[in-house]
Amino acid sequence: MNHTDNDQEYFKSYDNFQVHELMLRDRPRVTAYYDAIMNNKHLFENKVVLDVGSGTGILSMFAAKAGAKLVYAVDACPTVCHLAEELIKSNRLQEKIHVINKRIEDIEKFDETIDIIISEWMGFYLFHESMLESVIYARNHFLSLPSQNDDITPDQNESIIIFPSHAYLYCAPFVDQNIRIELNTMWKDYFDLNMSPILSHIKNSKLKECVIETIEPSQLVHDAQLIQSIDLRTIQIDDLRLLRSFCEFDIDNTCIISGFCFWFDCYFSSNNNSSILRSTRLTTSPYSTKTHWKQTLVFLPEDIYPLKGDVVPVNIKLKQSIENRRQYQISISLKKIKGGVMNNIGCDDDNSNTEWNIRRRQRRRSSTISSDKRTTTDNKSKDTSSDSTSSNSDDDVDSNEHSIPCSCDRDRCKLIKTIIEKYTEETIVE
């Protein structure tokens, strides 16, 4: 399938009202654009606006109501363009909005110079569908700039108005609470029947592809890290072919990691808004109201069990597909886990040890995370904390007496040895 076929399939999928209904029902999405445009009416007053991928024309109508002199609403889907014209007419905005049923790349020029570009181009994990390329094309070919030079200078940046103006992609490790468990258990014991052969007929049953799902904040086992930042005023199409990043997650508490969760934020900043963080924000974070983008989950082949103090180093690569430029391959490389301050982990009383044993068994069975408790006793110095991570066989044993890895029979040493052996080889999720 060539790029033309991929584009036709892509636009066909959006020439369906159900897709647009889903987006219109996404209140955080629509609210962010409405606030960004209406709170900046001074920018839109008597300006010519280009809406790239205008769909039902909702953003075009916002721009027109904000005072734009003219809005070009460009979309390649004929059915949706007809609907947009009907909606625009019903709101008496047909004199201000001109609907154009074409790909933006197929337009040679507009009758008037473009002052502002607006677009809702974001896909899953920000880059899916590659609509950002169309926005960049529109910026490079149609947006009014002080100079016609190909290179955009910092001073020119301040004169470019594109909504949204900036986008940020985040990543955090998460623990799965049901997806893998259901696949591994549900069909093997289904009303006393073994239905496991059905797995081969279930899409993505091995979780080798991304899973688009909403997760709870409690499933995140570490704070997110920023892995990609996009400035819509300067980013070029070639910059999107391959995106690499590296993260290190310092583990505060012994936990389970099932995979890595991705989400994005977008900001609507202008030359009159020097602080990006003060501008309107659209977020798809698990901590915020749910959106139709949900979160993107990339599962590891199996859960891993880093200990408190470990450092989990992760290489992340997003590579645009050669066969279909609207898709990306997300690769996660887990390098060897770096052992943390495990020598400081000890325990002081039998009750804490027993409690840890129970919680550890429950944790592995249900794949849920609870925070480790810390206890201090009178016979310990104030700057020494104990973490309930050892078994009853570890009582009153100074962990500094054991090397890492250690070949003794202590449960803690066996666990550490198993983890070290397991990750001496690089693990790659493709």
Side-chain angles (χ1 to χ4, degrees), residues 237-269:
I237 292 177
D238 287 343
D239 299 333
L240 305 175
R241 305 300 184 210
L242 179 63
L243 302 160
R244 295 179 181 271
S245 55
F246 175 75
C247 301
E248 283 191 335
F249 295 98
D250 299 316
I251 304 302
D252 295 328
N253 294 295
T254 298
C255 64
I256 302 170
I257 295 178
S258 304
F260 293 87
C261 175
F262 298 83
W263 68 85
F264 63 86
D265 289 351
C266 289
Y267 288 85
F268 299 75
S269 180

Side-chain angles (χ1 to χ4, degrees), residues 92-195:
R92 300 178 181 179
L93 295 171
Q94 64 271 24
E95 298 300 322
K96 283 191 170 186
I97 303 174
H98 181 199
V99 178
I100 302 175
N101 180 209
K102 286 185 178 181
R103 294 168 66 250
I104 190 68
E105 293 85 356
D106 294 335
I107 298 176
E108 292 186 7
K109 66 177 182 178
F110 294 97
D111 293 336
E112 299 204 33
T113 303
I114 304 300
D115 299 306
I116 301 174
I117 293 177
I118 57 177
S119 179
E120 196 276 79
W121 53 268
M122 300 81 73
F124 300 128
Y125 58 86
L126 192 61
F127 299 102
H128 182 68
E129 295 179 342
S130 298
M131 188 180 165
L132 178 54
E133 293 187 8
S134 295
V135 178
I136 296 172
Y137 180 92
R139 181 201 68 198
N140 291 346
H141 287 78
F142 305 120
L143 193 62
S144 175
L145 296 175
S147 169
Q148 296 301 316
N149 295 331
D150 292 334
D151 295 332
I152 301 174
T153 67
D155 290 338
Q156 290 172 339
N157 283 347
E158 297 303 312
S159 67
I160 298 174
I161 302 177
I162 302 177
F163 277 6
S165 59
H166 299 80
Y168 302 94
L169 181 63
Y170 299 91
C171 175
F174 76 96
V175 59
D176 171 41
Q177 295 180 326
N178 54 61
I179 298 174
R180 178 176 276 151
I181 293 173
E182 179 180 287
L183 287 171
N184 289 339
T185 61
M186 175 180 176
W187 301 109
K188 292 180 181 178
D189 185 11
Y190 187 81
F191 292 94
D192 295 327
L193 296 173
N194 180 7
M195 302 285 284

